Amino acid sequence: MTLQPNQDLYTLIMSALQETGFTFLYKEELDDSVLKTKGALNINAELLLNDSDKLNLPLPLPYNGIEYSDVEINNFLDESIKNDLQPIIIFGGNWCPDCRIFDGTLNMPSIKKFIDEKFRVLHIDVGRYDINMNLMELFGIPPEKGVPRVLVFDLERNLINNSSTTEWTTARDRDPQEIFNFIQTMAQ
């Protein structure tokens, strides 16, 4: 296949995949019989951003300089889970453009609605890497530079993205839909 004039890359890729027999399914269409279908592709992201989802300026300043204790972090995890919400802890700083862009993206209407229904978020200020860095060690994460560090937990207090906590340190270079897809795949 060749990209034709006035054809976008998405259309070309979709056409190529459909010619190979792939079927694209939304989560609500999945059942045991459909899952056995040869060539079915489960797309993790159920929801797409829409025209109302824009990055609002000025970007948020979510970090407040508070130093947290182990007890306060454990209380946050327990309270979140008690309310049937998955905890998310985001280490960062207001001086960091990637932290502010990531948080601004989380505040887009579609993403915020999704997060409010399924998660509880705590922003932990790392200052200039001089406060709260030790808290990362509670979860087996080395207290290294590079923020935002996003930690997502399941409802049993397990860190479910421990291999990718640094994934969003380049949030400014990422598409908001990528961030939304990540959040959706973390939801239980």
Side-chain angles (χ1 to χ4, degrees):
M1 296 192 117
T2 308
L3 188 61
Q4 302 297 318
N6 299 324
Q7 182 184 31
D8 62 21
L9 185 58
Y10 173 81
T11 304
L12 176 69
I13 292 169
M14 295 302 284
S15 297
L17 286 172
Q18 288 172 344
E19 284 182 18
T20 64
F22 273 92
T23 306
F24 294 90
L25 305 169
Y26 290 100
K27 189 173 184 179
E28 61 270 7
E29 296 173 317
L30 296 176
D31 62 30
D32 288 339
S33 63
V34 173
L35 287 174
K36 293 176 185 170
T37 303
K38 185 178 179 184
L41 177 63
N42 177 9
I43 299 175
N44 286 325
E46 299 175 23
L47 304 172
L48 299 175
L49 297 177
N50 59 51
D51 292 338
S52 69
D53 294 307
K54 304 281 187 224
L55 196 59
N56 290 325
L57 299 177
L59 292 170
L61 299 167
Y63 301 95
N64 54 18
I66 293 174
E67 292 190 46
Y68 290 93
S69 69
D70 298 9
V71 171
E72 290 170 308
I73 300 304
N74 284 316
N75 287 343
F76 167 78
L77 294 171
D78 292 340
E79 279 296 312
S80 300
I81 292 166
K82 186 172 93 176
N83 290 306
D84 206 29
L85 296 170
Q86 283 179 254
I88 296 178
I89 297 175
I90 306 173
F91 290 89
N94 289 334
W95 53 266
C96 169
D98 292 300
C99 296
R100 294 183 64 199
I101 288 169
F102 187 81
D103 199 71
T105 302
L106 297 184
N107 283 306
M108 290 179 173
S110 296
I111 300 174
K112 182 165 179 28
K113 180 180 184 292
F114 186 84
I115 287 175
D116 289 347
E117 291 171 358
K118 301 184 179 293
F119 297 96
R120 187 167 171 226
V121 179
L122 174 64
H123 293 87
I124 298 182
D125 198 334
V126 298
R128 293 288 181 169
Y129 299 113
D130 57 354
I131 60 172
N132 293 317
M133 293 295 289
N134 61 312
L135 296 175
M136 290 184 206
E137 294 174 336
L138 291 173
F139 310 107
I141 296 170
E144 300 168 349
K145 293 183 178 182
V147 287
R149 298 291 290 271
V150 181
L151 286 62
V152 183
F153 298 84
D154 64 16
L155 293 173
E156 295 170 3
R157 291 181 62 126
N158 298 308
L159 178 61
I160 57 177
N161 71 318
N162 59 340
S163 64
S164 64
T165 62
T166 60
E167 180 173 353
W168 303 107
T169 58
T170 57
R172 74 182 99 178
D173 298 329
R174 308 292 281 278
D175 184 77
Q177 186 66 55
E178 282 183 85
I179 294 172
F180 194 20
N181 292 352
F182 166 76
I183 296 296
Q184 290 180 73
T185 60
M186 293 291 110
Q188 294 185 327

